[in-house]
Amino acid sequence: MPPLTITENAPLAHYTTLGVGGPARHLVEAVSEEQALEALDRASSEGWPVFILGSGSNVLFADAGFPGLVLRIATRGIVAGDSNRLTAAAGEEWDAFVRLSVRRELAGIECLSGIPGTVGATPIQNVGAYGEEVGDTIRSVRVLDRKDGTIRDLSNPDCGFRYRSSVFCTSERERYVILAVTFELEPEGLPSVTYPDLESFFSGRAAPPSPWEVRQAVLLIRQSKGMLLDPTDPESRTAGSFFKNPVISEETLRDTEAAARRLGLLAESQGLPGFKTAAGDYKIPAAWLIERTGIKKGFSTGHVSISSRHALAIVTRPGGTAAEVLEFAQQVRGRVQSVFGIALELEPVCVGF
Ligand code: EPU
């Protein structure tokens, strides 16, 4: 095994899509599970705090950086099990994995095309889009348990998947290092076309689209909303959605609608957009709430703005700082709170604040 390379004072801005954040005191890019374990052993013997990083597409590091070890998981490898199972190393690029699955005509993750990040990051927030979530098709997650140093497989129920949530970011936060993820997909399965944007894309078609066609459609839709990372596009310096879509009770929904009508933001005949969840609550698009407070796409202060193509994405410009991003996000949050009485939750992981 090649010796472990530890980089000192590595600028974290280079490792995140937002392009802000100070240095990591120590940084290791682990290309094998053994290297990851060795780095973790080193951190525990030195007493360094540890942060596990994938491709940095959903993280906001503070300007002061991180005072311990940032362990970047860069392991590779995809293994096909029975005809419908695929296991990918945590460091595999997510979208390359989706592409491979649809090429094999496996259905189940085609709607998750074009999402930046690594495979190992997807279970943490139960990544979802266009009606699919990874929690629907994950069979198991191979983890290193930092409590006792063992490596084992967690089953799907062990992961506690919910909307943008799992045990990995709630009850068992920081306990596990994800090493690999196994998906159980549908051979020759029909792709999921339930989300309004996709339904209208394929409306009028007699035959159902293939997983490959759904992938192409999702890529086009994401691109039109600036939700496709493109290094040549300045609007790509984002962390995707910066806020979660709030899930509210029916009572809160009625109160919010009444408040919006009083302020003239909603016609008497109109209701809030959104849909009813299986649990009977309502999921409301945060982007809609933001725009109704008067914050328009492209709204900007300093080096930070709302994307000109999607109100849920915050974009940074070169020279911006993490403090500016957080302050800007708090300003948006404050507006939504004061107009609608709804507290938006931040979606990216914020480190060091
Ligand atoms: N809308 C606006 N203004 C906008 C964009 C959207 O008012 O600029 C309203 C519209 O009413 C629209 C509704 O919001 O119909 C929903 O918009 P969209 O379909 O773009 O989805 P979203 O709810 O804003 C969520 C996910 C995205 C995911 C899309 C597609 C969250 C926090 N975000 O966004 O995920 O790609 O659905 O399924 O759940 C991410 O998490 O980083 C992410 C990009």
Side-chain angles (χ1 to χ4, degrees), residues 16 18 26 31 54 65 68 129 146 152 161 242 296 321 326 335:
T16 64
L18 276 167
H26 318 279
V31 294
R146 292 173 64 195
R152 63 171 181 278
F161 291 120
F242 209 90
K296 297 288 172 229
T321 62
L326 200 62
R335 288 273 280 272

Side-chain angles (χ1 to χ4, degrees), residues 202-262:
F202 289 113
S203 70
R205 254 185 72 133
S210 67
W212 181 261
E213 287 172 307
V214 172
R215 171 175 168 78
Q216 298 312 319
V218 167
L219 290 176
L220 284 173
I221 296 167
R222 288 189 76 91
Q223 191 176 35
S224 71
K225 296 186 175 186
M227 289 283 188
L228 209 54
L229 279 195
D230 167 0
T232 63
D233 177 1
E235 291 251 312
S236 266
R237 289 173 59 111
T238 80
S241 300
F242 209 90
F243 302 97
K244 294 185 190 182
N245 286 332
V247 178
I248 59 178
S249 67
E250 182 157 6
E251 196 189 341
T252 310
L253 177 82
R254 301 294 159 231
D255 291 349
T256 310
E257 283 177 342
R261 286 191 190 111
R262 273 197 307 277

Side-chain angles (χ1 to χ4, degrees), residues 33 85-90 94 119-126 134-145 150-161 166-168 175-184:
E33 289 186 2
R85 271 189 213 166
L86 290 177
T87 300
W94 170 254
V119 170
T122 61
I124 299 176
Q125 288 201 322
N126 187 16
V134 289
D136 302 335
T137 41
I138 285 177
R139 164 114 194 152
S140 59
V141 179
R142 182 176 148 85
V143 293
L144 166 74
D145 187 345
T150 58
I151 289 180
R152 63 171 181 278
D153 284 334
L154 299 182
S155 70
N156 180 300
D158 292 340
C159 299
F161 291 120
S166 71
V167 296
F168 305 112
R175 174 168 171 187
Y176 298 116
V177 178
I178 296 175
L179 300 173
V181 188
T182 299
F183 289 81
E184 186 157 311

Side-chain angles (χ1 to χ4, degrees), residues 87-108:
T87 300
E92 278 288 338
E93 189 209 331
W94 170 254
D95 192 52
F97 179 67
V98 176
R99 193 171 57 227
L100 182 136
S101 76
V102 297
R103 280 227 171 100
R104 289 177 174 231
E105 294 179 22
L106 293 169

Side-chain angles (χ1 to χ4, degrees), residues 236-299:
S236 266
R237 289 173 59 111
T238 80
S241 300
F242 209 90
F243 302 97
K244 294 185 190 182
N245 286 332
V247 178
I248 59 178
S249 67
E250 182 157 6
E251 196 189 341
T252 310
L253 177 82
R254 301 294 159 231
D255 291 349
T256 310
E257 283 177 342
R261 286 191 190 111
R262 273 197 307 277
L263 292 167
L265 301 175
L266 203 60
E268 281 307 318
S269 56
Q270 267 184 319
L272 284 186
F275 64 88
K276 199 168 183 173
T277 67
D281 293 322
Y282 290 83
K283 195 162 158 198
I284 309 297
W288 186 93
L289 296 172
I290 292 169
E291 290 206 77
R292 291 297 149 131
T293 68
I295 298 177
K296 297 288 172 229
K297 293 190 187 79
F299 168 72

